[in-house]
């Protein structure tokens, strides 16, 4: 049994790792946790993303919420304080309007 008793029933949950600044150990820790729990997992690399085309993180997260058939979980690493609080508010309202499961940050 061991660590299996700690495993969540992930269903179709999707975990998105959005790192606006590099951190290999942190990124790998969250990636491994998502995989352990059986979540669909996506690494979003800001260095090679649409951010280079002036797409906002808000627009990107809204778009990603539409890809998941279950809850979307976002792990965001940013130098800008309050990023997750902002996304929780704005994306939460967006998900509510479209009838999507509320995302978590």
């Amino acid at each position: 049994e061991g660590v299996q008793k700690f495993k969540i029933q992930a269903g179709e949950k999707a975990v998105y790792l959005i790192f606006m600044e590099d951190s290999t150990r942190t990124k790998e820790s969250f990636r491994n946790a998502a995989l352990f729990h059986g979540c669909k997992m996506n690494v979003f690399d800001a260095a090679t993303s649409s951010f280079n085309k002036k797409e906002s993180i808000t627009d990107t997260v809204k778009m990603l919420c539409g890809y998941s058939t279950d809850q979307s979980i976002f792990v965001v690493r940013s130098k800008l304080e309050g990023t997750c609080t902002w996304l929780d508010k704005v994306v939460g309202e967006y998900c509510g309007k479209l009838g999507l499961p509320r995302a978590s940050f």
Side-chain angles (χ1 to χ4, degrees):
E1 191 171 289
V3 297
Q4 294 301 316
K5 65 183 176 184
F6 298 104
K7 227 174 172 177
I8 61 171
Q9 297 301 317
E12 291 293 314
K13 288 181 178 27
V15 174
Y16 295 95
L17 305 181
I18 301 176
F19 278 63
M20 308 300 287
E21 57 183 347
D22 287 331
S23 177
T24 302
R25 288 181 296 180
T26 303
K27 186 186 295 183
E28 286 302 306
S29 294
F30 280 105
R31 187 185 72 78
N32 287 323
L35 294 174
F36 170 79
H37 289 292
C39 298
K40 293 189 286 183
M41 203 277 312
N42 297 279
V43 177
F44 186 84
D45 186 2
T48 59
S49 74
S50 296
F51 294 141
N52 293 328
K53 299 176 193 172
K54 305 292 186 218
E55 182 175 302
S56 73
I57 188 170
T58 306
D59 290 338
T60 299
V61 170
K62 286 179 179 179
M63 184 245 342
L64 293 172
C65 282
Y67 287 169
S68 183
T69 57
D70 199 340
Q71 183 182 23
S72 297
I73 302 165
F74 292 89
V75 177
V76 181
R77 182 170 177 131
S78 172
K79 291 180 182 178
L80 184 60
E81 187 173 340
T83 300
C84 288
T85 301
W86 164 256
L87 289 170
D88 185 55
K89 178 184 182 309
V90 174
V91 175
E93 292 169 358
Y94 173 81
C95 289
K97 287 178 186 175
L98 295 180
L100 298 170
R102 186 176 179 94
S104 295
F105 297 89

XYZ file of all heavy atoms in Angstrom:
821
model
N 0.847 -1.195 0.000
C 0.000 0.000 0.000
C 0.885 1.249 0.000
O 0.824 2.026 -0.929
C -0.914 -0.014 1.221
C -1.975 1.046 1.133
C -3.000 0.875 2.229
O -3.771 -0.095 2.134
O -2.979 1.687 3.146
N 1.720 1.460 0.969
C 2.664 2.573 0.994
C 2.052 3.922 0.660
O 1.057 4.323 1.243
N 2.632 4.612 -0.314
C 2.186 5.956 -0.681
C 0.893 5.959 -1.477
O 0.281 7.007 -1.660
C 3.280 6.717 -1.463
C 4.505 6.932 -0.618
C 3.629 6.000 -2.746
N 0.444 4.809 -1.959
C -0.779 4.745 -2.760
C -1.995 5.264 -2.002
O -2.926 5.785 -2.603
C -1.027 3.314 -3.240
C 0.009 2.804 -4.216
C 0.106 3.671 -5.466
O -0.888 4.069 -6.038
N 1.329 3.962 -5.875
N -1.985 5.158 -0.671
C -3.130 5.637 0.115
C -3.265 7.159 0.054
O -4.307 7.704 0.382
C -3.027 5.152 1.562
C -1.857 5.721 2.329
C -1.786 5.147 3.726
C -0.560 5.650 4.460
N -0.439 5.034 5.777
N -2.226 7.851 -0.386
C -2.259 9.314 -0.491
C -2.699 9.798 -1.871
O -2.879 10.983 -2.090
C -0.888 9.911 -0.165
C -0.442 9.632 1.230
C 0.517 8.681 1.484
C -1.024 10.303 2.299
C 0.926 8.415 2.777
C -0.624 10.045 3.592
C 0.345 9.091 3.839
N -2.853 8.884 -2.801
C -3.198 9.229 -4.172
C -4.641 9.713 -4.264
O -5.546 9.115 -3.706
C -3.022 8.000 -5.057
C -2.283 8.240 -6.297
C -2.045 6.944 -7.035
C -1.465 7.317 -8.367
N -1.133 6.166 -9.154
N -4.843 10.815 -4.984
C -6.199 11.305 -5.213
C -6.778 10.605 -6.444
O -6.040 10.068 -7.258
C -6.238 12.842 -5.419
C -5.414 13.247 -6.652
C -5.789 13.578 -4.187
C -5.577 14.692 -7.042
N -8.076 10.613 -6.542
C -8.732 10.087 -7.743
C -8.816 11.248 -8.731
O -9.720 12.065 -8.666
C -10.117 9.545 -7.394
C -10.082 8.382 -6.429
C -9.269 7.213 -6.972
O -9.372 6.851 -8.134
N -8.437 6.630 -6.115
N -7.872 11.343 -9.625
C -7.725 12.522 -10.471
C -8.787 12.621 -11.565
O -9.107 13.719 -12.000
C -6.334 12.546 -11.096
N -9.325 11.517 -12.021
C -10.283 11.588 -13.119
C -9.647 12.220 -14.338
O -8.600 11.801 -14.794
N -10.260 13.276 -14.836
C -9.758 13.971 -16.015
C -9.121 15.323 -15.663
O -9.053 16.206 -16.502
C -10.895 14.179 -17.022
C -11.379 12.896 -17.660
C -10.331 12.268 -18.572
O -9.729 12.985 -19.382
O -10.123 11.044 -18.457
N -8.697 15.496 -14.418
C -8.086 16.761 -14.015
C -6.821 17.016 -14.837
O -6.079 16.105 -15.141
C -7.761 16.756 -12.532
C -9.002 16.850 -11.663
C -8.649 16.867 -10.208
C -9.824 17.016 -9.287
N -11.111 16.565 -9.713
N -6.615 18.277 -15.164
C -5.427 18.672 -15.930
C -4.606 19.644 -15.103
O -5.144 20.586 -14.524
C -5.842 19.321 -17.247
N -3.322 19.397 -15.015
C -2.402 20.282 -14.316
C -1.549 20.983 -15.364
O -0.954 20.337 -16.233
C -1.505 19.510 -13.327
C -0.462 20.424 -12.708
C -2.353 18.849 -12.247
N -1.540 22.306 -15.278
C -0.727 23.121 -16.185
C 0.362 23.809 -15.371
O 0.065 24.516 -14.409
C -1.578 24.187 -16.876
C -2.628 23.611 -17.788
C -3.928 23.402 -17.349
C -2.314 23.265 -19.107
C -4.896 22.867 -18.183
C -3.269 22.730 -19.948
C -4.555 22.535 -19.483
O -5.499 22.004 -20.321
N 1.603 23.581 -15.733
C 2.726 24.250 -15.076
C 3.105 25.444 -15.942
O 3.521 25.278 -17.089
C 3.917 23.310 -14.934
C 3.670 21.984 -14.214
C 4.968 21.190 -14.140
C 3.111 22.215 -12.826
N 2.916 26.644 -15.395
C 3.246 27.869 -16.121
C 4.356 28.571 -15.348
O 4.117 29.140 -14.283
C 2.017 28.782 -16.277
C 0.905 28.050 -17.026
C 2.407 30.077 -16.993
C -0.384 28.829 -17.144
N 5.544 28.507 -15.883
C 6.696 29.101 -15.212
C 7.160 30.306 -16.002
O 7.698 30.170 -17.097
C 7.809 28.065 -15.053
C 7.606 27.162 -13.863
C 6.506 26.317 -13.797
C 8.489 27.190 -12.813
C 6.291 25.508 -12.706
C 8.288 26.377 -11.701
C 7.189 25.534 -11.648
N 6.931 31.490 -15.432
C 7.351 32.738 -16.047
C 8.835 32.998 -15.774
O 9.426 33.883 -16.354
C 6.515 33.903 -15.506
C 5.015 33.672 -15.607
S 4.430 33.423 -17.270
C 4.582 35.085 -17.875
N 9.372 32.233 -14.835
C 10.797 32.273 -14.530
C 11.238 30.836 -14.278
O 10.464 30.019 -13.780
C 11.090 33.167 -13.325
C 10.352 32.767 -12.063
C 10.594 33.718 -10.907
O 11.512 34.543 -10.985
O 9.870 33.616 -9.927
N 12.452 30.511 -14.650
C 12.929 29.134 -14.541
C 13.126 28.700 -13.100
O 13.525 29.488 -12.241
C 14.254 28.977 -15.293
C 14.058 28.989 -16.790
O 12.975 28.575 -17.238
O 14.984 29.411 -17.498
N 12.825 27.441 -12.859
C 13.106 26.783 -11.589
C 12.961 25.287 -11.819
O 11.866 24.732 -11.715
C 12.142 27.246 -10.491
O 12.419 26.529 -9.306
N 14.051 24.659 -12.150
C 14.022 23.248 -12.521
C 13.508 22.373 -11.391
O 12.639 21.524 -11.606
C 15.430 22.787 -12.953
O 15.843 23.603 -14.049
C 15.420 21.325 -13.379
N 14.004 22.549 -10.177
C 13.585 21.686 -9.069
C 12.106 21.836 -8.758
O 11.398 20.849 -8.561
C 14.414 21.966 -7.818
C 15.839 21.450 -7.931
C 16.611 21.727 -6.687
N 16.722 23.185 -6.538
C 17.335 23.812 -5.557
N 17.906 23.118 -4.595
N 17.401 25.111 -5.512
N 11.620 23.077 -8.718
C 10.203 23.309 -8.424
C 9.330 22.741 -9.537
O 8.322 22.072 -9.272
C 9.936 24.813 -8.234
O 10.781 25.314 -7.199
C 8.487 25.071 -7.864
N 9.697 23.005 -10.768
C 8.922 22.498 -11.910
C 8.855 20.973 -11.883
O 7.796 20.370 -12.059
C 9.536 22.977 -13.221
C 8.712 22.603 -14.445
C 9.408 22.968 -15.743
C 9.581 24.451 -15.904
N 10.193 24.829 -17.192
N 9.974 20.322 -11.655
C 10.014 18.857 -11.627
C 9.231 18.297 -10.441
O 8.589 17.245 -10.563
C 11.457 18.354 -11.611
C 12.144 18.499 -12.949
C 11.416 17.767 -14.056
O 11.152 16.553 -13.927
O 11.081 18.412 -15.068
N 9.257 18.980 -9.317
C 8.485 18.523 -8.150
C 6.992 18.516 -8.453
O 6.291 17.536 -8.173
C 8.755 19.426 -6.941
O 10.084 19.303 -6.529
N 6.488 19.593 -9.031
C 5.067 19.655 -9.373
C 4.724 18.696 -10.514
O 3.650 18.089 -10.518
C 4.648 21.089 -9.716
C 4.413 21.933 -8.510
C 5.344 22.889 -8.120
C 3.268 21.779 -7.746
C 5.126 23.666 -6.992
C 3.038 22.550 -6.624
C 3.975 23.500 -6.242
N 5.612 18.544 -11.477
C 5.381 17.618 -12.580
C 5.257 16.195 -12.056
O 4.328 15.462 -12.407
C 6.518 17.708 -13.606
C 6.272 16.893 -14.870
C 7.479 16.925 -15.804
N 8.589 16.137 -15.297
C 8.654 14.805 -15.367
N 7.682 14.119 -15.915
N 9.688 14.155 -14.892
N 6.177 15.801 -11.186
C 6.141 14.460 -10.622
C 4.903 14.232 -9.763
O 4.317 13.152 -9.781
C 7.416 14.174 -9.826
C 8.599 13.952 -10.731
O 8.482 13.370 -11.800
N 9.763 14.426 -10.313
N 4.486 15.250 -9.023
C 3.273 15.130 -8.197
C 2.042 14.930 -9.076
O 1.191 14.083 -8.791
C 3.104 16.365 -7.320
N 1.939 15.691 -10.156
C 0.796 15.552 -11.068
C 0.761 14.159 -11.681
O -0.299 13.523 -11.752
C 0.860 16.619 -12.159
N 1.897 13.675 -12.097
C 1.961 12.343 -12.692
C 1.641 11.260 -11.661
O 0.951 10.290 -11.966
C 3.336 12.114 -13.323
C 3.648 12.998 -14.537
C 5.086 12.790 -15.001
C 2.674 12.737 -15.670
N 2.127 11.411 -10.438
C 1.835 10.455 -9.368
C 0.332 10.319 -9.153
O -0.194 9.226 -8.974
C 2.516 10.893 -8.057
C 2.069 10.102 -6.856
C 2.593 8.834 -6.619
C 1.127 10.613 -5.973
C 2.173 8.102 -5.511
C 0.714 9.884 -4.868
C 1.238 8.633 -4.637
N -0.376 11.445 -9.205
C -1.819 11.441 -8.965
C -2.630 11.082 -10.209
O -3.854 11.030 -10.159
C -2.271 12.794 -8.407
C -1.822 13.021 -7.004
N -2.307 12.299 -5.942
C -0.913 13.867 -6.487
C -1.730 12.697 -4.829
N -0.871 13.646 -5.133
N -1.963 10.836 -11.315
C -2.659 10.416 -12.522
C -3.333 11.553 -13.276
O -4.235 11.317 -14.078
N -2.914 12.779 -13.039
C -3.485 13.933 -13.736
C -2.874 14.060 -15.128
O -1.726 13.675 -15.350
C -3.193 15.228 -12.975
S -3.910 15.301 -11.331
N -3.651 14.618 -16.043
C -3.066 15.018 -17.318
C -2.161 16.196 -16.991
O -2.534 17.071 -16.212
C -4.151 15.438 -18.305
C -5.037 14.286 -18.737
C -5.954 14.674 -19.866
C -7.070 15.561 -19.378
N -8.051 15.933 -20.386
N -0.977 16.232 -17.540
C -0.012 17.250 -17.150
C 0.588 17.912 -18.371
O 0.945 17.237 -19.338
C 1.084 16.585 -16.312
C 1.844 17.483 -15.385
S 3.177 18.370 -16.147
C 4.014 17.117 -17.048
N 0.658 19.245 -18.324
C 1.223 20.027 -19.426
C 2.187 21.061 -18.866
O 1.864 21.752 -17.906
C 0.112 20.763 -20.172
C -0.869 19.812 -20.804
O -0.615 19.287 -21.858
N -1.987 19.570 -20.131
N 3.350 21.139 -19.467
C 4.326 22.154 -19.084
C 4.247 23.267 -20.119
O 4.404 23.035 -21.314
C 5.755 21.581 -19.019
C 6.752 22.677 -18.691
C 5.833 20.462 -17.997
N 3.960 24.461 -19.636
C 3.824 25.627 -20.494
C 5.086 26.460 -20.328
O 5.325 27.043 -19.268
C 2.579 26.416 -20.062
C 2.249 27.560 -20.965
C 1.512 27.360 -22.113
C 2.665 28.838 -20.647
C 1.201 28.417 -22.947
C 2.352 29.899 -21.465
C 1.620 29.684 -22.614
N 5.917 26.501 -21.336
C 7.197 27.199 -21.277
C 7.027 28.638 -21.765
O 6.822 28.875 -22.960
C 8.220 26.453 -22.122
C 9.616 27.023 -22.013
O 9.821 27.984 -21.245
O 10.504 26.505 -22.704
N 7.097 29.567 -20.850
C 6.886 30.977 -21.190
C 7.918 31.494 -22.191
O 7.627 32.382 -22.982
C 6.911 31.829 -19.925
N 9.114 30.928 -22.176
C 10.166 31.402 -23.075
C 9.841 31.133 -24.542
O 10.272 31.871 -25.417
C 11.496 30.746 -22.709
N 9.057 30.103 -24.816
C 8.740 29.760 -26.197
C 7.231 29.817 -26.471
O 6.737 29.198 -27.397
C 9.241 28.337 -26.523
O 8.627 27.413 -25.625
C 10.743 28.253 -26.425
N 6.523 30.580 -25.670
C 5.066 30.608 -25.745
C 4.545 31.811 -26.510
O 5.297 32.623 -27.035
C 4.491 30.656 -24.339
O 4.678 31.954 -23.807
N 3.235 31.948 -26.478
C 2.572 33.087 -27.115
C 2.805 34.390 -26.356
O 2.416 35.449 -26.835
C 1.072 32.815 -27.219
O 0.853 31.718 -28.071
N 3.403 34.317 -25.178
C 3.730 35.556 -24.465
C 4.680 36.404 -25.295
O 4.691 37.623 -25.195
C 4.354 35.275 -23.096
C 3.419 34.617 -22.128
C 3.867 33.627 -21.283
C 2.085 34.989 -22.044
C 3.013 33.018 -20.389
C 1.220 34.382 -21.158
C 1.686 33.393 -20.324
N 5.480 35.734 -26.113
C 6.391 36.463 -26.997
C 5.634 37.224 -28.078
O 6.177 38.108 -28.718
C 7.395 35.507 -27.639
C 8.346 34.920 -26.619
O 8.685 35.572 -25.636
N 8.751 33.693 -26.822
N 4.370 36.867 -28.285
C 3.519 37.550 -29.264
C 2.556 38.502 -28.565
O 1.542 38.887 -29.128
C 2.718 36.520 -30.063
C 3.566 35.560 -30.851
C 2.665 34.537 -31.522
C 3.468 33.388 -32.062
N 2.593 32.317 -32.547
N 2.845 38.820 -27.320
C 2.057 39.761 -26.508
C 0.712 39.194 -26.043
O -0.182 39.929 -25.686
C 1.821 41.088 -27.251
C 3.088 41.765 -27.720
C 3.908 42.255 -26.566
C 5.086 43.054 -27.082
N 6.283 42.872 -26.372
N 0.552 37.870 -26.050
C -0.653 37.268 -25.479
C -0.536 37.333 -23.959
O 0.512 37.036 -23.395
C -0.783 35.815 -25.928
C -2.045 35.146 -25.404
C -2.222 33.747 -25.943
O -2.269 33.590 -27.176
O -2.305 32.818 -25.127
N -1.605 37.707 -23.287
C -1.555 37.836 -21.833
C -1.697 36.475 -21.168
O -2.253 35.531 -21.746
C -2.678 38.755 -21.341
O -3.930 38.099 -21.434
N -1.200 36.370 -19.945
C -1.347 35.132 -19.191
C -2.823 34.859 -18.936
O -3.260 33.711 -18.944
C -0.531 35.161 -17.871
C -0.557 33.767 -17.224
C -1.041 36.228 -16.935
C 0.385 33.610 -16.062
N -3.629 35.914 -18.773
C -5.068 35.749 -18.551
C -5.718 35.074 -19.753
O -6.475 34.113 -19.604
C -5.735 37.113 -18.277
O -5.048 37.748 -17.193
C -7.187 36.952 -17.925
N -5.421 35.552 -20.949
C -5.985 34.951 -22.163
C -5.516 33.506 -22.336
O -6.291 32.631 -22.728
C -5.609 35.761 -23.396
C -6.310 37.102 -23.455
O -7.368 37.251 -22.808
O -5.810 37.997 -24.143
N -4.259 33.267 -22.033
C -3.707 31.921 -22.167
C -4.413 30.952 -21.222
O -4.814 29.857 -21.620
C -2.195 31.930 -21.872
O -1.547 32.775 -22.823
C -1.602 30.532 -21.942
N -4.589 31.339 -19.966
C -5.222 30.470 -18.977
C -6.690 30.231 -19.329
O -7.192 29.110 -19.209
C -5.052 31.039 -17.550
C -5.902 30.285 -16.553
C -3.582 30.990 -17.144
N -7.385 31.261 -19.780
C -8.778 31.077 -20.206
C -8.867 30.032 -21.311
O -9.731 29.156 -21.293
C -9.373 32.402 -20.695
C -9.706 33.377 -19.595
C -10.256 34.664 -20.207
C -10.634 35.686 -19.187
N -11.130 36.930 -19.818
N -7.979 30.125 -22.280
C -7.965 29.177 -23.392
C -7.687 27.763 -22.894
O -8.368 26.813 -23.286
C -6.913 29.602 -24.421
C -6.862 28.756 -25.653
S -5.359 27.788 -25.951
C -4.084 28.423 -24.985
N -6.731 27.615 -21.991
C -6.381 26.297 -21.476
C -7.524 25.679 -20.665
O -7.693 24.457 -20.682
C -5.108 26.378 -20.629
C -3.827 26.716 -21.391
C -2.677 26.959 -20.426
C -3.476 25.625 -22.386
N -8.309 26.490 -19.985
C -9.458 25.975 -19.223
C -10.449 25.265 -20.138
O -11.071 24.281 -19.747
C -10.176 27.104 -18.484
S -9.346 27.628 -16.988
N -10.593 25.751 -21.334
C -11.507 25.147 -22.287
C -11.049 23.793 -22.799
O -11.848 23.029 -23.329
N -9.782 23.471 -22.626
C -9.243 22.195 -23.099
C -9.559 21.035 -22.160
O -9.498 19.886 -22.558
C -7.722 22.266 -23.251
C -7.234 23.081 -24.417
C -5.902 23.410 -24.525
C -8.092 23.515 -25.420
C -5.432 24.151 -25.593
C -7.633 24.260 -26.490
C -6.303 24.563 -26.571
O -5.834 25.288 -27.633
N -9.827 21.314 -20.909
C -10.023 20.261 -19.924
C -11.500 19.935 -19.772
O -12.346 20.822 -19.727
C -9.446 20.714 -18.576
O -9.572 19.677 -17.626
N -11.811 18.649 -19.686
C -13.194 18.232 -19.479
C -13.537 18.183 -17.996
O -14.688 17.986 -17.632
C -13.443 16.839 -20.102
O -12.528 15.901 -19.527
C -13.257 16.889 -21.609
N -12.549 18.351 -17.150
C -12.722 18.351 -15.704
C -12.014 19.596 -15.180
O -11.736 20.520 -15.933
C -12.117 17.071 -15.115
C -12.618 16.732 -13.714
O -13.126 17.633 -13.031
O -12.491 15.571 -13.310
N -11.701 19.616 -13.931
C -11.055 20.777 -13.331
C -9.639 20.986 -13.867
O -8.900 20.034 -14.073
C -10.986 20.615 -11.817
C -10.397 21.818 -11.114
C -10.284 21.618 -9.623
O -10.239 20.506 -9.137
N -10.237 22.710 -8.895
N -9.283 22.250 -14.096
C -7.928 22.626 -14.475
C -7.219 23.169 -13.249
O -7.780 23.980 -12.509
C -7.952 23.703 -15.556
O -8.562 23.226 -16.721
N -6.010 22.707 -13.027
C -5.201 23.161 -11.896
C -3.957 23.817 -12.485
O -3.235 23.204 -13.271
C -4.806 21.983 -10.986
C -6.069 21.274 -10.477
C -3.921 22.461 -9.841
C -5.809 19.913 -9.879
N -3.730 25.078 -12.090
C -2.599 25.833 -12.626
C -1.569 26.076 -11.533
O -1.899 26.580 -10.459
C -3.069 27.175 -13.190
C -3.918 27.029 -14.410
C -5.293 26.888 -14.302
C -3.351 27.001 -15.676
C -6.082 26.731 -15.426
C -4.129 26.834 -16.803
C -5.501 26.709 -16.679
N -0.333 25.710 -11.826
C 0.799 26.015 -10.955
C 1.557 27.117 -11.682
O 2.088 26.896 -12.769
C 1.700 24.786 -10.733
C 2.910 25.152 -9.885
C 0.900 23.653 -10.105
N 1.556 28.308 -11.105
C 2.145 29.477 -11.760
C 3.313 29.985 -10.929
O 3.173 30.224 -9.727
C 1.097 30.607 -11.929
C 1.715 31.807 -12.638
C -0.125 30.096 -12.682
N 4.438 30.147 -11.587
C 5.588 30.778 -10.929
C 5.879 32.073 -11.675
O 6.213 32.062 -12.855
C 6.811 29.866 -10.959
C 7.987 30.519 -10.234
C 9.109 29.559 -10.053
N 10.215 30.230 -9.424
C 10.858 29.760 -8.375
N 10.516 28.613 -7.843
N 11.866 30.429 -7.874
N 5.729 33.168 -10.954
C 5.910 34.490 -11.548
C 6.562 35.416 -10.535
O 6.333 35.286 -9.333
C 4.538 35.044 -11.959
O 4.653 36.380 -12.363
N 7.330 36.362 -11.030
C 7.920 37.380 -10.148
C 6.873 38.391 -9.696
O 7.045 39.074 -8.705
C 9.058 38.112 -10.871
C 10.258 37.255 -11.123
C 11.345 38.038 -11.839
C 12.527 37.139 -12.141
N 13.580 37.836 -12.859
N 5.782 38.485 -10.431
C 4.743 39.467 -10.148
C 3.816 38.962 -9.035
O 3.071 37.997 -9.218
C 3.943 39.751 -11.420
C 2.873 40.821 -11.341
C 3.483 42.169 -10.950
C 2.178 40.948 -12.686
N 3.880 39.599 -7.886
C 3.050 39.201 -6.755
C 1.569 39.421 -7.070
O 1.193 40.414 -7.678
C 3.432 40.024 -5.511
C 2.738 39.552 -4.260
C 3.234 40.261 -3.013
O 4.340 40.827 -3.042
O 2.494 40.244 -2.014
N 0.747 38.477 -6.671
C -0.692 38.590 -6.870
C -1.197 37.975 -8.163
O -2.391 38.034 -8.460
N -0.311 37.372 -8.944
C -0.710 36.793 -10.224
C -1.807 35.746 -10.048
O -2.827 35.773 -10.743
C 0.503 36.173 -10.954
O 1.473 37.193 -11.185
C 0.105 35.543 -12.272
N -1.629 34.827 -9.107
C -2.621 33.758 -8.914
C -3.935 34.303 -8.360
O -5.007 33.821 -8.732
C -2.066 32.671 -8.000
S -0.800 31.676 -8.824
N -3.864 35.310 -7.508
C -5.087 35.927 -6.976
C -5.879 36.564 -8.113
O -7.102 36.407 -8.209
C -4.739 36.984 -5.909
O -3.995 36.338 -4.860
C -5.979 37.620 -5.330
N -5.189 37.272 -8.984
C -5.834 37.901 -10.145
C -6.458 36.847 -11.051
O -7.615 36.944 -11.458
C -4.817 38.738 -10.921
C -5.283 39.093 -12.300
C -4.870 38.532 -13.474
C -6.275 40.048 -12.656
N -5.539 39.091 -14.538
C -6.415 40.030 -14.063
C -7.065 40.928 -11.926
C -7.298 40.843 -14.751
C -7.952 41.748 -12.619
C -8.059 41.705 -14.002
N -5.680 35.803 -11.374
C -6.178 34.762 -12.257
C -7.375 34.030 -11.651
O -8.333 33.708 -12.348
C -5.063 33.767 -12.595
C -3.969 34.295 -13.509
C -2.806 33.301 -13.575
C -4.503 34.589 -14.900
N -7.324 33.769 -10.359
C -8.434 33.096 -9.689
C -9.725 33.891 -9.847
O -10.779 33.333 -10.146
C -8.114 32.882 -8.209
C -9.180 32.080 -7.507
O -9.498 30.966 -7.959
O -9.714 32.581 -6.491
N -9.644 35.195 -9.678
C -10.826 36.053 -9.795
C -11.338 36.104 -11.241
O -12.495 35.792 -11.516
C -10.501 37.463 -9.302
C -11.642 38.450 -9.427
C -11.195 39.844 -9.010
C -12.282 40.866 -9.060
N -13.035 40.960 -10.295
N -10.469 36.481 -12.154
C -10.871 36.709 -13.541
C -11.243 35.402 -14.243
O -12.275 35.315 -14.914
C -9.755 37.444 -14.317
C -10.075 37.565 -15.787
C -9.523 38.815 -13.709
N -10.430 34.382 -14.082
C -10.697 33.108 -14.746
C -11.880 32.399 -14.077
O -12.664 31.730 -14.746
C -9.427 32.225 -14.779
C -9.720 30.850 -15.357
C -8.335 32.913 -15.580
N -12.027 32.584 -12.763
C -13.182 32.021 -12.074
C -14.488 32.564 -12.635
O -15.445 31.818 -12.868
N -14.527 33.865 -12.870
C -15.715 34.491 -13.469
C -15.940 33.963 -14.889
O -17.069 33.668 -15.284
C -15.557 36.015 -13.496
C -15.573 36.647 -12.125
C -15.153 38.111 -12.130
O -14.807 38.651 -13.207
O -15.156 38.714 -11.033
N -14.867 33.844 -15.641
C -14.933 33.336 -17.017
C -15.497 31.911 -17.040
O -16.394 31.601 -17.827
C -13.527 33.386 -17.632
C -13.397 32.753 -18.983
C -13.782 33.436 -20.133
C -12.858 31.478 -19.124
C -13.643 32.858 -21.394
C -12.718 30.892 -20.384
C -13.111 31.592 -21.500
O -12.978 31.020 -22.735
N -14.971 31.047 -16.190
C -15.431 29.655 -16.135
C -16.911 29.593 -15.748
O -17.671 28.795 -16.300
C -14.591 28.848 -15.153
S -12.908 28.516 -15.721
N -17.296 30.441 -14.791
C -18.689 30.479 -14.366
C -19.633 30.858 -15.496
O -20.694 30.256 -15.668
N -19.243 31.850 -16.287
C -20.073 32.299 -17.408
C -20.235 31.215 -18.473
O -21.275 31.110 -19.111
C -19.479 33.548 -18.052
C -19.640 34.797 -17.226
C -18.990 35.989 -17.916
C -19.036 37.203 -17.016
N -18.314 38.337 -17.618
N -19.183 30.428 -18.677
C -19.219 29.402 -19.724
C -19.651 28.027 -19.218
O -19.751 27.077 -19.987
C -17.851 29.272 -20.399
C -17.373 30.497 -21.175
C -16.017 30.237 -21.794
C -18.374 30.879 -22.247
N -19.874 27.916 -17.906
C -20.268 26.627 -17.343
C -19.139 25.616 -17.263
O -19.379 24.423 -17.215
N -17.903 26.120 -17.247
C -16.739 25.255 -17.120
C -16.439 25.013 -15.649
O -16.746 25.859 -14.808
C -15.515 25.904 -17.781
C -15.593 26.182 -19.268
C -14.404 27.047 -19.710
C -15.623 24.888 -20.038
N -15.813 23.887 -15.301
C -15.390 23.695 -13.912
C -14.427 24.803 -13.502
O -13.575 25.222 -14.297
C -14.665 22.345 -13.943
C -15.144 21.648 -15.172
C -15.459 22.741 -16.154
N -14.584 25.323 -12.280
C -13.721 26.418 -11.810
C -12.279 25.933 -11.707
O -12.008 24.886 -11.118
C -14.208 26.934 -10.463
C -13.430 28.153 -10.010
C -13.981 28.728 -8.714
N -13.201 29.867 -8.306
C -13.497 31.124 -8.591
N -14.591 31.380 -9.289
N -12.737 32.111 -8.188
N -11.377 26.715 -12.260
C -9.947 26.391 -12.198
C -9.399 26.687 -10.807
O -9.948 27.499 -10.071
C -9.187 27.222 -13.236
N -8.334 26.013 -10.468
C -7.642 26.237 -9.198
C -6.237 26.730 -9.466
O -5.599 26.333 -10.445
C -7.550 24.936 -8.392
O -8.824 24.502 -8.006
N -5.762 27.622 -8.573
C -4.429 28.207 -8.708
C -3.650 28.018 -7.428
O -4.184 28.029 -6.369
C -4.520 29.693 -9.032
C -5.195 29.936 -10.348
C -6.575 30.091 -10.426
C -4.464 29.985 -11.508
C -7.196 30.280 -11.642
C -5.085 30.189 -12.730
C -6.460 30.328 -12.796
